[in-house]
Amino acid sequence: MTDLKLYSMPSSGNSYKVRLLLALLGRTVDTIDVEYEWESLTRAKAEGRLPFGKAPVLELGDGTLLPESNAILFWLGQGTRFVPLGALEQARMLSWMFWEQNQHEGVIAVRAALLKYPHRKAQATPERLAELLTSGHALLKVMEDHLSGRDWLVGGHVSLADLCLYAYTHTADTHGGFDLAPFPALRDWLGRIAALDGYVGLDA
């Protein structure tokens, strides 16, 4: 039994990062597919379950709706090993999570979306794809440089920052066409996350 409902897009990294944290915490959730199940999407919109018009949204037992993936991560992570204890470390964690949304996702995830979704095909011009490829490799280099000589993005333990950035980074090559070969520290970091107890993949 669970008192949580997750309105989720199965192919979305933003929805996946929430499902991953829930799995790592051993928490169960009723998942409602609002990507491939048209009836579920229509009902969710009609009932006001998607406050910002998109998934993911976590519905709590009392009916409270919590949108935005990283806000959901922060709420679920409170009091767990995925949130550092110190205020400075928490702030550093949040800085990576903010960077993921305003820098990383807008390039890494967008290039993958242009290549995958038919309704985005008109935007997938050679010039745009090339621009995103260059920008994306620069962003991955930022992560590579930071992870060189350390296991995790913040402190000595896995945190929400790692899970947040893992979501779109781990498919950057297969979905977005980015070359991860030049980034050994980043690839090792991806492997450490995939080895966590309770880990589930994007398609789980």
Side-chain angles (χ1 to χ4, degrees), residues 5-21:
K5 291 181 182 178
L6 178 64
Y7 296 87
S8 171
M9 292 180 63
S11 73
S12 162
N14 282 323
S15 291
Y16 168 58
K17 67 178 75 161
V18 177
R19 299 196 307 270
L20 175 58
L21 177 58

Side-chain angles (χ1 to χ4, degrees), residues 53-127:
K54 62 179 184 177
V57 173
L58 188 68
E59 183 174 347
L60 312 187
D62 62 359
T64 297
L65 298 170
L66 182 58
E68 288 298 314
S69 59
N70 289 352
I72 297 171
L73 290 188
F74 191 69
W75 185 82
L76 288 170
Q78 292 301 302
T80 75
R81 66 190 177 103
F82 295 102
V83 175
L85 294 177
L88 180 57
E89 292 295 270
Q90 288 184 16
R92 286 173 172 156
M93 177 192 77
L94 289 171
S95 70
W96 279 107
M97 296 173 74
F98 296 153
W99 182 80
E100 185 264 349
Q101 287 288 281
N102 66 38
Q103 298 282 331
H104 183 279
E105 184 193 5
V107 176
I108 304 295
V110 166
R111 193 173 198 275
L114 293 181
L115 292 171
K116 177 176 181 176
Y117 298 118
H119 68 280
R120 302 288 297 271
K121 186 175 181 179
Q123 304 168 42
T125 64
E127 295 77 14

Side-chain angles (χ1 to χ4, degrees), residues 149-179:
R150 69 180 73 202
D151 287 344
W152 307 107
L153 289 171
V154 178
H157 304 280
V158 61
S159 75
L160 298 180
D162 298 290
L163 305 185
C164 170
L165 276 153
Y166 178 83
Y168 284 113
T169 304
H170 85 292
T171 57
D173 52 351
T174 56
H175 291 188
F178 295 97
D179 182 9

